[in-house]
Amino acid sequence: FPSHDSIRSVANKVLKNLKNINTASYWDMSTQENREESVEYDYSYALTKRSERETVWKQNERYYNNIHDVANEVSNYCKEQGIPWSPAIVPDSYIHIESQIIPDIPDFEFKGRDDDMDSQKAKQREYVVKYVMENNKIENMNTTNERRLGINGNAFWKVSWDGNKEGYGFKGDIVIGNPGCENILPDPSALDVDDCECFMYPYRMHKRAASREFIKDLKRLGKTIYELGNDGKQEDTLIYDSQVRDTNDDTIQIVEYWFRQNEYGSETIDGVKFDYEPGDIACSILINNTEVRYIPKYWQKTGKQNKMFPFVKYCKVPSITTFWDKSDLEMMKDLQDQVDFAVSCL
């Protein structure tokens, strides 16, 4: 064991290093440089903390695809012994997940708070909600999310405003997405979305699509999407064995870094003034650790009390000790192995 003197010397070095860290600068999100530094640190830390859960997701995905541990062990043993025999695999895991999928979405209905006063407004709200759900093809995405619930234990919705969408008589629209668990990096200290101080959403996009999506931002920076370089971060979101990784493809990773403002402030960006207060939701969007867009206050036309991230997490089997919840597969894998082993012995 190390001596008390060596422990004390190490502790003194750690304290000295901590004193040299400018924590005020780290929590100061007022400049682009500070935000980029914060994102780089928070992203790496959150990715490291999520790695343990990724191991569970990968194993669950293998079981869903009928690649079971016991069957692999028996198969490998037979190959080593030169026995031309493949063990039987019972597809119970796959059947269970698929049989639990309920793709139907709720039939929304709104009623007025009294006999007459706002019944018409309630009906209008009902029509708006049904339009948004149909316009975003929620029923198709709900099937995917139901499957994710069974395999990973969690599914997500992202509800946001896309100012670039245009149509007849309107500019901008409500957009609903269903990011996978592999595209979610929560605050490692949080147990739920609303507990987070920061919330990261990394995803891949074709470079041509990114150049159109961020055309004004790139012009302001004086750069093209290709000048931002290749990120080499496919492994961060393409985590499953069944996913094809091509390091030469034309995609690039976009990181949406959502965070809560720490203080009162006011900024004008591209002619738009943003007045924010502590707790307001802000968003920094980065490509290869270069901030291409910054929104000091995301919710502009909702109630002042809206200080929520635009993400919703839900589950079937909740966990009270971690952010990530349990899945059906996680609890039936051992039983699946026993069934495979029993059938192989017949």
Side-chain angles (χ1 to χ4, degrees), residues 30 261-268 273-280 294 296-297 300:
S30 61
Q261 293 284 12
N262 291 323
E263 55 191 5
Y264 292 93
S266 179
E267 295 184 55
T268 301
K273 187 179 181 182
F274 296 88
D275 296 314
Y276 53 85
E277 61 183 38
D280 280 344
Y294 174 51
K297 183 178 180 180
Q300 290 289 312

Side-chain angles (χ1 to χ4, degrees), residues 95-308:
I95 293 172
H96 174 78
I97 298 301
E98 291 300 308
S99 64
Q100 298 298 308
I101 293 176
I102 304 175
D104 301 330
I105 59 175
D107 186 15
F108 295 93
E109 182 178 352
F110 295 87
K111 293 183 178 180
R113 290 168 292 183
D114 51 41
D115 293 338
D116 228 7
M117 293 295 290
D118 57 1
S119 58
Q120 184 177 357
K121 291 182 179 179
K123 203 65 179 177
Q124 290 173 345
R125 185 180 182 187
E126 179 181 324
Y127 290 148
V128 168
V129 170
K130 288 182 176 179
Y131 164 78
V132 171
M133 302 290 279
E134 181 66 27
N135 194 42
N136 284 279
K137 300 179 174 58
I138 296 299
E139 189 166 339
N140 295 340
M141 290 191 288
N142 191 51
T143 301
T144 301
N145 271 9
E146 287 279 309
R147 188 171 289 113
R148 287 170 175 163
L149 285 175
I151 298 175
N152 295 330
N154 285 113
F156 291 85
W157 295 109
K158 181 193 177 191
V159 183
S160 57
W161 176 260
D162 187 351
N164 292 329
K165 294 193 71 173
E166 295 186 27
Y168 182 75
F170 73 90
K171 180 176 175 56
D173 204 354
I174 297 173
V175 177
I176 301 177
N178 61 334
C181 294
E182 66 276 12
N183 296 105
I184 298 296
L185 287 172
D187 180 350
S189 64
L191 297 179
D192 205 352
V193 174
D194 290 332
D195 296 336
C196 294
E197 285 298 318
C198 64
F199 195 94
M200 287 156 281
Y201 172 37
Y203 56 93
R204 302 202 69 80
M205 180 183 290
H206 196 285
K207 290 181 179 178
R208 292 183 182 179
S211 65
R212 294 192 300 270
E213 175 68 24
F214 301 103
I215 184 170
K216 294 180 180 179
D217 307 287
L218 293 171
K219 185 177 181 179
R220 173 173 43 82
L221 292 173
K223 294 183 178 181
T224 67
I225 196 71
Y226 297 95
E227 289 176 322
L228 294 178
N230 295 317
D231 51 67
K233 294 182 177 180
Q234 289 189 337
E235 300 287 340
D236 294 356
T237 53
L238 300 177
I239 65 173
Y240 299 109
D241 297 336
S242 61
Q243 292 177 308
V244 178
R245 302 172 187 85
D246 181 4
T247 56
N248 296 316
D249 69 9
D250 284 328
T251 65
I252 196 166
Q253 179 169 274
I254 315 295
V255 176
E256 294 182 7
Y257 180 85
W258 301 82
F259 66 96
R260 300 184 187 278
Q261 293 284 12
N262 291 323
E263 55 191 5
Y264 292 93
S266 179
E267 295 184 55
T268 301
I269 299 177
D270 293 336
V272 179
K273 187 179 181 182
F274 296 88
D275 296 314
Y276 53 85
E277 61 183 38
D280 280 344
I281 301 299
C283 182
S284 173
I285 302 178
L286 301 95
I287 299 177
N288 204 14
N289 207 39
T290 298
E291 183 181 82
V292 295
R293 183 181 297 173
Y294 174 51
I295 308 172
K297 183 178 180 180
Y298 186 75
W299 302 114
Q300 290 289 312
K301 296 183 180 180
T302 62
K304 187 178 181 180
Q305 73 278 8
N306 184 4
K307 300 182 186 297
M308 299 184 296

Side-chain angles (χ1 to χ4, degrees), residues 316-338:
K316 284 186 177 180
V317 186
S319 171
I320 60 174
T321 57
T322 66
F323 180 90
W324 302 105
D325 302 301
K326 295 183 179 296
S327 69
D328 292 350
L329 275 184
E330 194 172 345
M331 295 181 288
M332 66 181 291
K333 283 183 294 190
D334 291 341
L335 181 61
Q336 175 72 74
D337 283 338
Q338 292 298 320

